[in-house]
């Protein structure tokens, strides 16, 4: 009962007009974490290539509309990259503050 409600709720809240199967919300939420990992760590190119190859291969064999997975990964990537640049910017600001203080 709770599982069915959760699935219906997330797919009702997060929708896309191209979604034929009605699972867009679930798949977007599921792929935010891998996208976050790719965005947060700048040297995760191997994982990005592996993720893309896996999704393309899965789409060829199962025809499960991999664009839904890419959408979630892109959302996670933007969140991770924003956090990365926030930390880098904050560190640069603090370093500049220390340099100015001791000059």
């Amino acid at each position: 009962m709770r599982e069915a409600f959760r699935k219906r709720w997330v797919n009702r809240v997060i929708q896309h007009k191209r979604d034929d199967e009605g699972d867009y919300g679930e798949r977007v939420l599921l792929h935010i974490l891998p996208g976050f990992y790719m965005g947060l760590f700048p040297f995760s190119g191997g994982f990005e290539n592996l993720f893309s190859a896996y999704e393309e291969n899965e789409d060829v064999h199962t025809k499960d509309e991999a664009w839904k997975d890419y959408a979630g990964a892109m959302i996670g990537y933007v969140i991770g990259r924003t956090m990365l640049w926030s930390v880098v910017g904050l560190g640069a600001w603090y370093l500049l503050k220390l340099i100015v203080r001791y000059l």
Side-chain angles (χ1 to χ4, degrees):
M1 171 75 177
R2 292 177 69 186
E3 182 72 22
F5 175 75
R6 183 187 61 81
K7 285 184 178 182
R8 281 186 267 137
W9 178 82
V10 74
N11 290 324
R12 223 179 13 230
V13 172
I14 303 172
Q15 296 179 353
H16 196 281
K17 60 184 171 185
R18 284 181 35 201
D19 183 20
D20 297 333
E21 299 172 12
D23 63 344
Y24 180 73
E26 293 174 69
R27 293 193 36 203
V28 164
L29 288 180
L30 182 67
H31 289 86
I32 286 177
L33 189 59
F36 178 75
Y37 175 81
M38 290 185 277
L40 189 61
F41 299 107
F43 303 110
S44 64
F47 184 69
E48 292 174 21
N49 294 336
L50 182 66
F51 179 79
S52 294
Y54 169 75
E55 289 299 335
E56 292 299 321
N57 183 46
E58 182 185 34
D59 196 41
V60 166
H61 294 290
T62 62
K63 305 283 187 226
D64 69 339
E65 300 177 334
W67 61 270
K68 299 173 189 177
D69 304 336
Y70 284 122
M74 286 188 284
I75 292 168
Y77 186 87
V78 169
I79 293 169
R81 196 48 59 126
T82 301
M83 287 181 63
L84 173 69
W85 284 112
S86 298
V87 169
V88 167
L90 200 61
W93 176 78
Y94 185 72
L95 184 62
L96 184 63
K97 187 177 168 183
L98 284 176
I99 290 171
V100 169
R101 182 183 210 180
Y102 292 111
L103 283 181

